[in-house]
Short mmCIF file of all heavy atoms in Angstrom, two decimals:
data_model
loop_
_atom_site.label_atom_id
_atom_site.label_comp_id
_atom_site.label_asym_id
_atom_site.label_seq_id
_atom_site.Cartn_x
_atom_site.Cartn_y
_atom_site.Cartn_z
N THR A 1 0.84 -1.21 0.00
CA THR A 1 0.00 0.00 0.00
C THR A 1 0.87 1.26 0.00
O THR A 1 0.61 2.22 -0.72
CB THR A 1 -0.91 0.01 1.24
OG1 THR A 1 -1.74 -1.15 1.23
CG2 THR A 1 -1.78 1.26 1.27
N LYS A 2 1.92 1.24 0.81
CA LYS A 2 2.82 2.39 0.89
C LYS A 2 3.55 2.60 -0.44
O LYS A 2 3.65 3.73 -0.95
CB LYS A 2 3.84 2.18 2.01
CG LYS A 2 3.25 2.11 3.41
CD LYS A 2 4.33 1.76 4.44
CE LYS A 2 3.74 1.58 5.84
NZ LYS A 2 3.26 2.84 6.43
N LEU A 3 4.07 1.53 -1.02
CA LEU A 3 4.87 1.64 -2.24
C LEU A 3 4.03 1.93 -3.48
O LEU A 3 4.57 2.35 -4.51
CB LEU A 3 5.69 0.36 -2.44
CG LEU A 3 6.75 0.08 -1.36
CD1 LEU A 3 7.40 -1.28 -1.58
CD2 LEU A 3 7.81 1.17 -1.33
N ASN A 4 2.72 1.70 -3.41
CA ASN A 4 1.83 2.04 -4.52
C ASN A 4 1.37 3.49 -4.46
O ASN A 4 0.74 3.99 -5.40
CB ASN A 4 0.60 1.12 -4.52
CG ASN A 4 0.95 -0.27 -5.00
OD1 ASN A 4 1.95 -0.48 -5.69
ND2 ASN A 4 0.13 -1.26 -4.63
N ASP A 5 1.64 4.16 -3.33
CA ASP A 5 1.27 5.56 -3.17
C ASP A 5 2.25 6.43 -3.94
O ASP A 5 3.36 6.02 -4.29
CB ASP A 5 1.28 5.91 -1.68
CG ASP A 5 0.44 7.14 -1.36
OD1 ASP A 5 -0.09 7.75 -2.31
OD2 ASP A 5 0.35 7.50 -0.18
N ASN A 6 1.86 7.69 -4.21
CA ASN A 6 2.79 8.60 -4.89
C ASN A 6 3.68 9.30 -3.87
O ASN A 6 3.34 9.39 -2.67
CB ASN A 6 2.03 9.63 -5.74
CG ASN A 6 1.15 10.55 -4.89
OD1 ASN A 6 1.65 11.46 -4.24
ND2 ASN A 6 -0.16 10.29 -4.90
N LEU A 7 4.83 9.80 -4.32
CA LEU A 7 5.84 10.35 -3.41
C LEU A 7 5.34 11.59 -2.67
O LEU A 7 5.71 11.82 -1.51
CB LEU A 7 7.11 10.68 -4.19
CG LEU A 7 7.89 9.48 -4.73
CD1 LEU A 7 9.09 9.94 -5.54
CD2 LEU A 7 8.36 8.59 -3.58
N TRP A 8 4.52 12.41 -3.33
CA TRP A 8 4.01 13.61 -2.66
C TRP A 8 3.13 13.22 -1.47
O TRP A 8 3.22 13.82 -0.40
CB TRP A 8 3.23 14.47 -3.63
CG TRP A 8 2.57 15.66 -3.01
CD1 TRP A 8 1.24 15.90 -2.89
CD2 TRP A 8 3.22 16.78 -2.37
NE1 TRP A 8 1.00 17.08 -2.23
CE2 TRP A 8 2.20 17.65 -1.90
CE3 TRP A 8 4.55 17.11 -2.16
CZ2 TRP A 8 2.49 18.84 -1.24
CZ3 TRP A 8 4.83 18.30 -1.49
CH2 TRP A 8 3.82 19.15 -1.04
N SER A 9 2.28 12.22 -1.67
CA SER A 9 1.43 11.74 -0.59
C SER A 9 2.27 11.19 0.56
O SER A 9 2.02 11.49 1.74
CB SER A 9 0.48 10.65 -1.11
OG SER A 9 -0.22 10.04 -0.05
N ILE A 10 3.29 10.41 0.21
CA ILE A 10 4.18 9.85 1.23
C ILE A 10 4.86 10.96 2.02
O ILE A 10 4.95 10.90 3.25
CB ILE A 10 5.25 8.95 0.57
CG1 ILE A 10 4.61 7.67 0.02
CG2 ILE A 10 6.37 8.60 1.55
CD1 ILE A 10 4.08 6.72 1.07
N PHE A 11 5.32 11.99 1.32
CA PHE A 11 6.00 13.11 1.97
C PHE A 11 5.06 13.82 2.95
O PHE A 11 5.44 14.08 4.11
CB PHE A 11 6.51 14.09 0.92
CG PHE A 11 7.16 15.31 1.48
CD1 PHE A 11 8.47 15.28 1.94
CD2 PHE A 11 6.46 16.52 1.58
CE1 PHE A 11 9.08 16.40 2.49
CE2 PHE A 11 7.05 17.65 2.11
CZ PHE A 11 8.37 17.59 2.56
N LEU A 12 3.85 14.14 2.51
CA LEU A 12 2.91 14.85 3.38
C LEU A 12 2.52 14.01 4.60
O LEU A 12 2.43 14.54 5.73
CB LEU A 12 1.66 15.23 2.60
CG LEU A 12 1.75 16.47 1.70
CD1 LEU A 12 0.41 16.73 1.03
CD2 LEU A 12 2.19 17.69 2.50
N LEU A 13 2.29 12.72 4.39
CA LEU A 13 1.92 11.86 5.52
C LEU A 13 3.08 11.76 6.52
O LEU A 13 2.84 11.65 7.73
CB LEU A 13 1.55 10.47 5.01
CG LEU A 13 0.25 10.39 4.17
CD1 LEU A 13 0.04 8.99 3.63
CD2 LEU A 13 -0.96 10.83 5.00
N ALA A 14 4.30 11.82 6.02
CA ALA A 14 5.46 11.80 6.91
C ALA A 14 5.57 13.11 7.68
O ALA A 14 5.95 13.12 8.86
CB ALA A 14 6.74 11.55 6.10
N VAL A 15 5.24 14.23 7.02
CA VAL A 15 5.23 15.53 7.71
C VAL A 15 4.23 15.50 8.86
O VAL A 15 4.54 15.89 10.00
CB VAL A 15 4.88 16.67 6.72
CG1 VAL A 15 4.62 17.98 7.49
CG2 VAL A 15 6.00 16.87 5.72
N PHE A 16 3.00 15.05 8.57
CA PHE A 16 1.96 15.00 9.60
C PHE A 16 2.38 14.10 10.76
O PHE A 16 2.12 14.41 11.93
CB PHE A 16 0.64 14.47 9.00
CG PHE A 16 0.08 15.33 7.91
CD1 PHE A 16 -0.73 14.79 6.92
CD2 PHE A 16 0.35 16.69 7.86
CE1 PHE A 16 -1.26 15.57 5.91
CE2 PHE A 16 -0.17 17.50 6.85
CZ PHE A 16 -0.97 16.93 5.87
N CYS A 17 3.06 13.00 10.43
CA CYS A 17 3.48 12.06 11.47
C CYS A 17 4.40 12.73 12.48
O CYS A 17 4.19 12.63 13.69
CB CYS A 17 4.19 10.87 10.83
SG CYS A 17 4.97 9.75 12.02
N ASN A 18 5.41 13.45 12.00
CA ASN A 18 6.39 13.96 12.95
C ASN A 18 5.94 15.22 13.67
O ASN A 18 6.55 15.60 14.67
CB ASN A 18 7.75 14.19 12.27
CG ASN A 18 8.86 13.50 13.03
OD1 ASN A 18 8.65 12.39 13.53
ND2 ASN A 18 10.02 14.12 13.15
N VAL A 19 4.88 15.85 13.19
CA VAL A 19 4.26 16.90 14.02
C VAL A 19 3.74 16.27 15.30
O VAL A 19 3.94 16.79 16.41
CB VAL A 19 3.12 17.59 13.25
CG1 VAL A 19 2.33 18.52 14.19
CG2 VAL A 19 3.66 18.40 12.07
N LEU A 20 3.09 15.12 15.16
CA LEU A 20 2.57 14.42 16.33
C LEU A 20 3.70 13.85 17.19
O LEU A 20 3.62 13.86 18.43
CB LEU A 20 1.64 13.29 15.88
CG LEU A 20 0.32 13.73 15.24
CD1 LEU A 20 -0.42 12.53 14.65
CD2 LEU A 20 -0.55 14.43 16.27
N ILE A 21 4.77 13.35 16.55
CA ILE A 21 5.89 12.80 17.31
C ILE A 21 6.55 13.89 18.14
O ILE A 21 6.92 13.68 19.30
CB ILE A 21 6.92 12.14 16.37
CG1 ILE A 21 6.34 10.87 15.76
CG2 ILE A 21 8.22 11.81 17.11
CD1 ILE A 21 6.00 9.79 16.76
N PHE A 22 6.69 15.09 17.57
CA PHE A 22 7.27 16.20 18.34
C PHE A 22 6.40 16.52 19.55
O PHE A 22 6.92 16.72 20.66
CB PHE A 22 7.43 17.45 17.48
CG PHE A 22 7.84 18.66 18.28
CD1 PHE A 22 9.15 18.80 18.72
CD2 PHE A 22 6.91 19.64 18.64
CE1 PHE A 22 9.54 19.89 19.49
CE2 PHE A 22 7.29 20.73 19.40
CZ PHE A 22 8.61 20.85 19.83
N LEU A 23 5.10 16.57 19.36
CA LEU A 23 4.20 16.85 20.48
C LEU A 23 4.35 15.79 21.56
O LEU A 23 4.37 16.10 22.76
CB LEU A 23 2.75 16.91 19.99
CG LEU A 23 2.36 18.12 19.12
CD1 LEU A 23 0.96 17.95 18.56
CD2 LEU A 23 2.46 19.41 19.95
N ALA A 24 4.48 14.53 21.15
CA ALA A 24 4.60 13.44 22.11
C ALA A 24 5.94 13.50 22.86
O ALA A 24 5.98 13.42 24.10
CB ALA A 24 4.46 12.10 21.41
#
């Protein structure tokens, strides 16, 4: 599922992830 996604989507989802990681 991850590798079938496009790179822009992967990049944005990674950005959202580490916003939450920083808060944690």
Side-chain angles (χ1 to χ4, degrees):
T1 301
K2 296 174 184 291
L3 295 174
N4 286 338
D5 201 357
N6 64 76
L7 291 177
W8 175 246
S9 172
I10 290 292
F11 177 79
L12 280 182
L13 292 175
V15 170
F16 298 153
C17 172
N18 233 38
V19 171
L20 292 171
I21 291 297
F22 172 76
L23 289 172

